[in-house]
């Protein structure tokens, strides 16, 4: 593994540890660097800010978890996405609460929107002929998924991912989208 990945993983581990002890807003780049015995220059060589580090954690971990997988349906893919969040829910409950510019919520929305768009366009093409209506449905279901995901992960009696996805599927079917 290249040194750059070792450094990034050390910074990521430090941030995750700190987030178990402190709210994200109270954690500074200096705190992260101190935790893994690095200087700030090393941090800024790899990341723009702590928000960029959070997004890198998602991008690398999720891609590693889903890399090389072929899905026979969008619901199998959805189940994989939800399993990943479920297994890492402590961390994601905290980062999904971060709002504003460069927030993980915005990054995640940007990443998941094309996935939903591709799936929904295929399913809705015959039902919705107007492009404006199709785009509205894509945005609606993406936002609904993110909101539901946050609520599900925060629930102290968080149901298993398979059950959550089955309920999502039933909601979408009731809405006539898929």
């Amino acid at each position: 593994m290249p040194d750059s990945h070792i450094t990034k993983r050390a910074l990521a581990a430090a941030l995750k540890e700190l987030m178990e002890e402190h709210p994200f807003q109270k954690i500074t780049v200096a705190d992260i660097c101190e935790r893994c015995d690095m200087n700030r220059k090393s941090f800024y060589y790899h990341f723009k800010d702590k928000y960029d580090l959070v997004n890198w954690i998602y991008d690398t971990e999720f891609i590693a978890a889903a890399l090389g997988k072929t899905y026979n349906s969008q619901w199998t893919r959805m189940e994989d996405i939800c399993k990943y969040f479920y297994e890492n829910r402590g961390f994601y409950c905290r980062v999904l609460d971060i709002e504003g510019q460069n927030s993980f919520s915005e990054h995640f929305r940007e990443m998941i929107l094309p996935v939903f768009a591709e799936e929904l366009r295929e399913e809705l093409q015959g039902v919705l002929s107007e492009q404006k209506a199709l785009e509205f449905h894509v945005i609606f279901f993406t936002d609904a998924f993110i909101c539901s995901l946050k609520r599900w992960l925060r629930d102290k009696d968080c149901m298993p991912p398979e059950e959550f996805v089955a309920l999502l599927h039933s909601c979408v079917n009731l809405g006539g989208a898929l």
Side-chain angles (χ1 to χ4, degrees):
M1 181 182 302
D3 286 348
S4 143
H5 276 61
I6 292 169
T7 303
K8 289 177 178 180
R9 290 194 190 289
L11 291 165
L15 176 61
K16 285 181 172 183
E17 285 175 18
L18 286 164
M19 286 182 69
E20 304 242 344
E21 303 163 15
H22 309 285
F24 181 79
Q25 294 80 350
K26 303 264 185 203
I27 299 169
T28 65
V29 169
D31 296 331
I32 298 166
C33 293
E34 183 180 317
R35 179 63 59 111
C36 61
D37 202 26
M38 282 187 206
N39 62 44
R40 290 169 52 99
K41 189 175 179 181
S42 295
F43 180 93
Y44 288 113
Y45 179 77
H46 297 287
F47 301 106
K48 292 184 290 191
D49 53 28
K50 63 184 183 178
Y51 300 93
D52 191 31
L53 173 56
V54 168
N55 295 341
W56 180 86
I57 292 170
Y58 169 76
D59 293 347
T60 56
E61 288 182 355
F62 182 74
I63 288 169
L67 192 65
K69 291 188 179 180
T70 316
Y71 297 100
N72 58 1
S73 78
Q74 71 266 30
W75 295 107
T76 308
R77 180 185 313 176
M78 184 65 68
E79 207 168 284
D80 240 16
I81 291 169
C82 292
K83 281 179 186 175
Y84 169 78
F85 278 101
Y86 184 79
E87 291 165 1
N88 298 281
R89 82 182 228 227
F91 176 71
Y92 285 105
C93 279
R94 292 177 191 96
V95 298
L96 283 164
D97 282 339
I98 302 164
E99 296 294 330
Q101 186 178 352
N102 300 331
S103 69
F104 174 72
S105 291
E106 287 302 311
H107 177 73
F108 180 58
R109 187 177 187 284
E110 287 173 19
M111 299 295 283
I112 206 78
L113 188 66
V115 173
F116 275 55
E118 180 184 328
E119 298 296 340
L120 288 172
R121 278 191 185 96
E122 277 181 34
E123 297 293 329
L124 295 172
Q125 213 118 47
V127 180
L128 299 171
S129 57
E130 191 180 317
Q131 185 66 26
K132 188 176 179 180
L134 183 61
E135 293 307 315
F136 177 86
H137 279 77
V138 167
I139 290 168
F140 174 82
F141 282 109
T142 302
D143 290 346
F145 170 69
I146 293 169
C147 183
S148 298
L149 181 79
K150 287 178 183 181
R151 191 176 305 273
W152 168 60
L153 291 173
R154 288 184 190 128
D155 189 346
K156 70 178 178 95
D157 298 320
C158 187
M159 69 183 82
E162 300 82 8
E163 191 177 330
F164 177 68
V165 172
L167 288 170
L168 284 175
H169 194 180
S170 71
C171 288
V172 172
N173 282 339
L174 285 174
L178 298 177

